[in-house]
C-alpha cells in the first residue's frame, strides 16, 4: 500500500511533464509553420513540394556560375515586383495586345533574368504541378542570389500567390534614380520602411551596374556631391552612349559593403546613391555600414524579409500561375 502511494504522484508528475513537453513541441512546430496572419510560413511546401528549395537554389547557382551579373538582376527584379502591387510576380507577366504590362515600362526595360525564373517554374511544374507560385520562386531566387554573391544567408516565409494584374501605369510608384534622401524616405515610408531600412535595401547596389541614362543628369553641370575624378570616369562611360554601363562599386559582382565606402568618397553613381551620404537624415547609417559589414548584412536580410511580405496575395485574390509570363 505504501508502495502504491509513492508511485501515483510520480505518475502524475510524469504525465504533467509529458503534457507540458507536448504543448511546447506544438508551439515550436506551429511557429515553424506559421509566420503571420497572412498565412505565410517557412515550411509552406514541406508536404506539397518538398524539393522546392534545392530546385530553386541549383537553378539559380547554375545560371550565376555562367553569368554572375544575374545576381544583381534577380534581386532588382524582386524589388521591382514588390514595390508595385506587392510581391505577387506581376513583374513577370508579358504584355498582350490588350494590355501593356509592368515589365514594359521605362523603369523595367532593363530588367533581366526572366529565363531563370522560367527554368525554375518549368522544373517545379514537372515535380509538383500547380503548387509553387511564381511570386515565391522570385523571392527565393533573389535570396539565393544574395548568398551566391557572398551576402548573408537567410530564410523567407513562403505561400505567396500570384497576382492577376500587371499594368504599366502602376510602375509610377517605383523610386527614381534622381530621388534625393527626403524623396526616398517618403517613398519607402509609404510602404512601411524606416530610413535605416531604406539605406540597408539600397545596399543591394553593392551588386550590378547603372546605365548612363540614369546618371548623366549629374554631368551636365558641376555636382558638388560628386568627386571630380569620379565625374570624369562617369563622363568616359557616357561617351559610349546612354546604354553604356557603370559599375556601382569596384566589386560589383560581390555582395559586400564596398558600395557604402564608395559613398564616403563621393563615388556614388546615381543621385539616389550619393544622397544617402550627403543627407544628414541618412549619413549615419551609411557610415555605420561602411565600417561594419556584419551590421549591414544583418539589417539587409531583415529588410529583405520585410519587403517580401509587402501586400502578398492569398487564395482569394491570387492564384498559382502555370506559366509565370501569363495569367491563368
Amino acid at each position: 500500500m505504501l508502495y502504491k502511494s509513492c508511485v501515483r504522484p510520480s505518475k502524475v508528475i510524469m504525465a504533467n511533464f509529458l503534457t507540458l513537453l507536448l504543448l511546447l513541441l506544438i508551439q515550436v512546430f506551429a511557429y515553424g509553420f506559421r509566420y503571420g496572419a497572412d498565412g505565410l510560413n517557412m515550411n509552406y511546401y514541406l508536404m506539397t513540394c518538398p524539393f522546392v528549395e534545392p530546385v530553386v537554389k541549383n537553378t539559380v547557382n547554375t545560371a550565376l556560375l555562367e553569368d554572375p551579373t544575374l545576381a544583381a538582376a534577380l534581386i532588382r527584379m524582386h524589388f521591382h515586383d514588390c514595390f508595385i502591387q506587392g510581391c505577387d510576380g506581376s513583374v513577370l507577366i508579358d504584355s498582350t495586345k490588350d494590355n501593356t504590362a509592368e515589365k514594359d515600362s521605362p523603369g523595367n526595360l532593363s530588367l533581366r533574368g526572366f529565363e531563370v525564373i522560367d527554368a525554375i517554374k518549368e522544373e517545379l511544374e514537372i515535380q509538383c504541378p500547380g503548387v509553387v507560385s511564381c511570386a515565391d520562386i522570385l523571392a527565393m531566387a533573389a535570396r539565393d542570389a544574395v548568398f551566391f554573391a557572398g551576402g548573408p544567408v537567410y530564410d523567407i516565409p513562403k505561400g505567396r500567390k500570384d497576382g492577376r494584374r500587371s499594368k504599366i501605369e502602376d510602375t509610377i510608384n517605383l523610386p527614381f534614380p534622381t530621388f534625393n534622401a527626403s524623396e526616398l524616405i517618403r517613398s519607402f515610408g509609404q510602404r512601411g520602411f524606416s530610413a535605416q531600412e531604406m539605406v540597408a535595401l539600397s545596399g543591394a547596389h553593392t551588386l550590378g551596374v547603372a546605365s548612363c541614362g540614369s546618371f548623366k543628369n549629374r554631368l551636365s553641370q558641376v555636382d558638388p556631391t560628386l568627386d571630380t575624378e569620379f565625374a570624369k570616369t562617369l563622363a568616359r562611360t557616357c561617351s559610349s552612349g546612354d546604354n553604356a554601363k557603370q559599375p556601382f562599386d569596384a566589386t560589383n559582382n560581390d555582395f559586400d559593403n564596398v558600395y557604402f565606402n564608395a559613398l564616403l568618397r563621393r563615388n556614388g553613381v546615381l543621385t539616389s546613391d550619393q544622397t544617402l551620404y550627403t543627407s544628414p537624415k541618412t549619413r549615419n547609417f551609411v557610415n555605420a555600414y561602411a565600417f561594419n559589414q556584419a551590421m549591414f548584412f544583418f539589417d539587409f536580410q531583415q529588410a529583405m524579409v520585410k519587403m517580401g511580405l509587402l501586400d502578398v496575395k492569398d487564395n482569394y485574390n491570387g492564384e498559382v500561375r502555370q506559366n509565370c509570363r501569363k495569367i491563368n
Side-chain angles (χ1 to χ4, degrees):
M1 197 69 181
L2 180 62
Y3 174 75
K4 288 184 179 179
S5 66
C6 292
V7 171
R8 285 173 183 165
S10 66
K11 287 185 176 180
V12 172
I13 293 172
M14 180 60 72
N16 289 340
F17 173 75
L18 291 174
T19 301
L20 179 61
L21 181 62
L22 181 61
L23 289 173
L24 287 172
L25 287 173
I26 289 173
Q27 286 184 331
V28 171
F29 191 70
Y31 176 79
F33 273 75
R34 294 185 60 81
Y35 196 84
D38 49 29
L40 303 189
N41 58 70
M42 299 296 187
N43 299 295
Y44 188 85
Y45 297 112
L46 182 62
M47 304 302 294
T48 56
C49 196
F51 298 109
V52 60
E53 294 279 2
V55 168
V56 173
K57 183 177 291 290
N58 290 340
T59 307
V60 168
N61 287 355
T62 299
L64 268 55
L65 282 170
E66 184 174 333
D67 181 3
T69 67
L70 283 174
L74 291 172
I75 298 167
R76 182 166 179 252
M77 191 191 301
H78 180 44
F79 174 83
H80 281 229
D81 182 40
C82 293
F83 252 58
I84 306 304
Q85 294 292 318
C87 305
D88 63 354
S90 56
V91 75
L92 304 172
I93 294 175
D94 285 342
S95 294
T96 65
K97 63 178 182 179
D98 300 316
N99 178 64
T100 305
E102 293 174 21
K103 65 165 56 173
D104 287 322
S105 74
N108 283 338
L109 289 176
S110 59
L111 291 181
R112 300 186 303 124
F114 295 104
E115 70 282 357
V116 180
I117 307 302
D118 292 338
I120 296 170
K121 181 63 172 175
E122 183 177 347
E123 178 60 30
L124 290 175
E125 283 299 302
I126 294 173
Q127 293 200 18
C128 33
V131 173
V132 183
S133 69
C134 301
D136 271 349
I137 291 172
L138 179 52
M140 287 185 281
R143 173 206 60 191
D144 292 343
V146 169
F147 181 64
F148 180 93
V153 57
Y154 59 96
D155 199 5
I156 57 171
K158 274 78 71 177
R160 301 163 188 79
K161 293 298 182 286
D162 298 320
R164 301 189 181 100
R165 172 190 172 97
S166 182
K167 294 186 176 295
I168 187 172
E169 57 263 30
D170 294 334
T171 60
I172 192 66
N173 295 318
L174 285 171
F176 286 82
T178 55
F179 273 10
N180 60 35
S182 295
E183 291 169 318
L184 289 170
I185 290 171
R186 182 168 59 251
S187 177
F188 279 75
Q190 289 171 348
R191 291 156 182 82
F193 292 102
S194 67
Q196 183 165 6
E197 288 170 331
M198 179 272 290
V199 175
L201 287 173
S202 297
H205 281 181
T206 184
L207 299 174
V209 298
S211 298
C212 170
S214 62
F215 60 79
K216 68 178 182 180
N217 62 294
R218 305 184 70 197
L219 305 175
S220 57
Q221 55 188 2
V222 177
D223 184 342
T225 70
L226 183 60
D227 175 76
T228 304
E229 289 303 311
F230 191 62
K232 295 177 182 177
T233 298
L234 296 183
R236 283 194 296 270
T237 298
C238 285
S239 66
S240 299
D242 282 1
N243 293 323
K245 311 299 183 191
Q246 173 66 40
F248 282 115
D249 66 26
T251 58
N252 62 295
N253 286 329
D254 297 328
F255 198 99
D256 49 34
N257 68 339
V258 173
Y259 164 78
F260 292 106
N261 282 281
L263 300 185
L264 268 57
R265 301 190 305 274
R266 294 188 297 145
N267 282 5
V269 175
L270 306 176
T271 299
S272 58
D273 291 321
Q274 193 58 51
T275 188
L276 301 178
Y277 185 68
T278 304
S279 172
K281 297 178 181 179
T282 50
R283 182 182 302 141
N284 288 341
F285 304 133
V286 173
N287 280 325
Y289 295 150
F291 289 103
N292 191 335
Q293 180 170 277
M295 179 182 179
F296 163 51
F297 277 21
F298 180 80
D299 288 352
F300 178 82
Q301 68 184 42
Q302 295 288 103
M304 283 291 283
V305 171
K306 181 175 179 177
M307 186 182 76
L309 301 176
L310 286 176
D311 300 325
V312 296
K313 307 300 185 292
D314 55 26
N315 287 318
Y316 296 100
N317 59 0
E319 63 185 19
V320 175
R321 286 185 219 132
Q322 296 178 347
N323 181 334
C324 290
R325 292 175 178 265
K326 60 183 181 180
I327 299 167
N328 289 345

